[in-house]
Amino acid sequence: MQMQRLVALLVAALLAAPPAVAAWRPWPPRNGSTTGGAATAGLGASKKFEGSSEFVKLQYHMGPVLAASITVHPIWYGPWPAPQKRTIRAFLRSLAPPPAEEARIPRPSVAAWWRTVRLYADQTGANVSAAVTLGSEKSDARMSRGARLSRMDIQAVVRDAVAARTRPLPVDAGGVYLVLTAPEVLVEDFCGQVCGFHYFTFPSVVGYTLPYAWVGNSARRCPEVCAYPFAIPAYVPGRRPESPPNADVGVDGMVSVIAHELAELASNPLANAWYAGTDPSFPTEIADLCEGIYGTGGGGAYTGQLLTDARSGAAYNVNGAGGRRFLVQWVWNPVLSYCSGPNALDQ
C-alpha cells in the first residue's frame, strides 16, 4: 500500500480517533516527513518498498479474506454530478467483468490488477473472490449529517443507507459499503493525514458488522496530496502534473484510492488477516507497501513508467470497461514478494 524505508504518517490526533485501518495517499514527502506536522514513527507508519521482501514482514494473522462474491454498494454523500458517478462505476465494473467483455478490454487491464489481490487466501485455502460486482447504490445529496464528518459519522452514513425507509441498501454476505464524499464534505483527518480508510462497522452503531471504506474527493482541498500525480505539491520543483485519463483530477485521483482501499478491504476485512506490523488498528497492508508506485521503476516521487493516451496525452496504467482508462497504484504480490502491476515491463 521506494527509496525511503520509512515514512511516519500517524499523528497524535489519529490516536484519539476511533480505530480504523487507514490508508495514506502517495504524495512526495517534504524532507522525508509528512506535510501535517510531527509524526509518530513505528505506530502504523507507512513502509514503502519496491524491491524484495527482506524488509517487509507481511504476515497472515488467521482471519478471513473476502472469499465470497463481493458486491460493492456505493453511497454517494453530497452532490455528485452524473459524469463523475459514471467514471467510478466504470472502474468498479472493470474489476471483474464477464469473460466476453473482459476479452474485449486491451491489456493491461483493471481485471488483471485485481488478480494480484486474488492471490491472498485465508487459513481454509479460500482466495479473495474473483467475482466483484457493482451493487445497489444510495445517494445523500443533501448531506443529512452535515458537511463535516467524523470517522464515526462514516459508520452512521452506512447505517442510514442500510436502514433507510425507502430503498435501503441490502445487507448481504458479500456486501462492501463504499462511502464516497463530494468535494464539499470535510471528513476528519482528510488531506492532512488520510485520503481514505477502511474498517468494519460496529453492531452497536449500524446493527451489523459490515466491511466498509470511505474515500473523499480532494479536488477543492488537496489534489496535490490525494490526487497525485495529477496535481503536484509546490515543494516538488520541476515536476509537471500528469493529465488525468478521465479529465477529472479529483475523481481520477479517487479511483486509485478506491482501488487501494478495496484491495486492503478484500485481504484484511476484519483487521486480522494480511498485514505487516504488530498493531491491527494501525497495520501496513498490501497497498500501503506500494504507495506511489504505478509502474516499473517507481519509488519516491517517481510514479514509474506509465502509459500515455496518444490522443489526449493522459497518463494511465490499466484499461477498463467501455474504453475507459485509469491510473491505479500497484499492490504487494505475495508470490513475487514485491510490488507488481499488470503494466510491469517484465510481464
Side-chain angles (χ1 to χ4, degrees), residues 18-20 75 77 140 145-162 177-182 185-190 194-202 205-206 210-216:
I75 301 172
Y77 191 87
D140 188 351
R145 293 193 172 271
R148 300 179 67 92
L149 301 177
S150 68
R151 290 183 177 231
M152 285 303 298
D153 286 336
I154 299 299
Q155 293 204 25
V157 170
V158 175
R159 180 187 62 198
D160 294 344
V162 300
Y177 301 84
L178 182 61
V179 179
L180 303 168
T181 52
V185 182
L186 178 61
V187 174
E188 180 182 1
D189 297 326
F190 187 30
V194 298
C195 302
F197 62 76
H198 74 90
Y199 206 52
F200 52 88
T201 60
F202 302 148
V205 176
V206 180
L210 305 173
Y212 75 97
W214 158 77
V215 178

Side-chain angles (χ1 to χ4, degrees), residues 13 91-92 99 193 203 314:
F91 173 73
L92 296 174
Q193 299 159 41

Side-chain angles (χ1 to χ4, degrees), residues 305-316:
Q305 296 192 43
L306 308 179
L307 302 172
T308 303
D309 186 292
R311 292 186 177 181
S312 67
Y316 70 101

Side-chain angles (χ1 to χ4, degrees), residues 288-311:
D288 297 326
L289 292 167
C290 304
E291 285 179 355
I293 299 176
Y294 300 83
T296 299
Y302 178 50
T303 58
Q305 296 192 43
L306 308 179
L307 302 172
T308 303
D309 186 292
R311 292 186 177 181

Side-chain angles (χ1 to χ4, degrees), residues 11-329:
V11 299
L14 185 57
L15 297 175
V21 178
W24 294 270
R25 180 78 172 127
W27 71 95
R30 187 198 306 266
N31 297 327
S33 64
T34 66
T35 58
T40 304
L43 243 180
S46 178
K47 304 174 181 64
K48 306 175 185 177
F49 304 94
E50 183 191 3
S52 73
S53 62
E54 178 183 358
F55 299 100
V56 175
K57 303 301 181 185
L58 183 68
Q59 295 180 316
Y60 175 58
H61 298 266
M62 305 306 290
V65 299
L66 294 185
S69 296
I70 299 169
T71 303
V72 182
H73 298 290
I75 301 172
W76 309 95
Y77 191 87
W80 278 92
Q84 294 184 334
K85 288 184 176 182
R86 285 196 292 268
T87 297
I88 293 174
R89 289 183 188 124
F91 173 73
L92 296 174
R93 290 191 179 107
S94 300
L95 290 166
E101 184 177 358
E102 183 177 354
R104 295 192 296 269
I105 298 174
R107 297 180 181 180
S109 68
V110 176
W113 175 87
W114 185 254
R115 280 195 281 274
T116 300
V117 181
R118 287 169 48 196
L119 294 173
Y120 289 87
D122 62 21
Q123 59 183 314
T124 71
N127 288 77
V128 168
S129 179
V132 184
T133 58
L134 177 64
S136 302
E137 305 177 27
K138 198 69 178 174
S139 295
D140 188 351
R142 296 183 179 182
M143 300 178 288
S144 60
R145 293 193 172 271
R148 300 179 67 92
L149 301 177
S150 68
R151 290 183 177 231
M152 285 303 298
D153 286 336
I154 299 299
Q155 293 204 25
V157 170
V158 175
R159 180 187 62 198
D160 294 344
V162 300
R165 292 184 178 181
T166 59
R167 299 181 181 178
L169 291 184
V171 175
D172 45 48
V176 168
Y177 301 84
L178 182 61
V179 179
L180 303 168
T181 52
E184 293 83 356
V185 182
L186 178 61
V187 174
E188 180 182 1
D189 297 326
F190 187 30
C191 293
Q193 299 159 41
V194 298
C195 302
F197 62 76
H198 74 90
Y199 206 52
F200 52 88
T201 60
F202 302 148
S204 59
V205 176
V206 180
Y208 310 90
T209 299
L210 305 173
Y212 75 97
W214 158 77
V215 178
N217 188 329
S218 66
R220 299 182 190 176
R221 298 182 185 274
C222 59
E224 73 284 358
V225 173
C226 294
Y228 184 86
F230 304 126
I232 305 297
Y235 55 84
V236 180
R239 177 71 192 273
R240 302 181 66 178
E242 302 288 352
S243 179
N246 296 284
D248 190 315
V249 168
V251 170
D252 276 300
M254 286 185 76
V255 165
S256 189
V257 184
I258 290 169
H260 179 127
E261 296 305 330
L262 289 180
E264 295 181 343
L265 194 59
S267 58
N268 193 31
L270 299 180
N272 60 359
W274 287 95
Y275 63 87
T278 58
D279 187 344
S281 295
F282 304 104
T284 298
E285 300 175 275
I286 69 169
D288 297 326
L289 292 167
C290 304
E291 285 179 355
I293 299 176
Y294 300 83
T296 299
Y302 178 50
T303 58
Q305 296 192 43
L306 308 179
L307 302 172
T308 303
D309 186 292
R311 292 186 177 181
S312 67
Y316 70 101
N317 63 358
V318 287
N319 294 281
R324 296 275 189 168
R325 288 170 169 173
F326 306 99
L327 183 65
V328 298
Q329 69 153 92

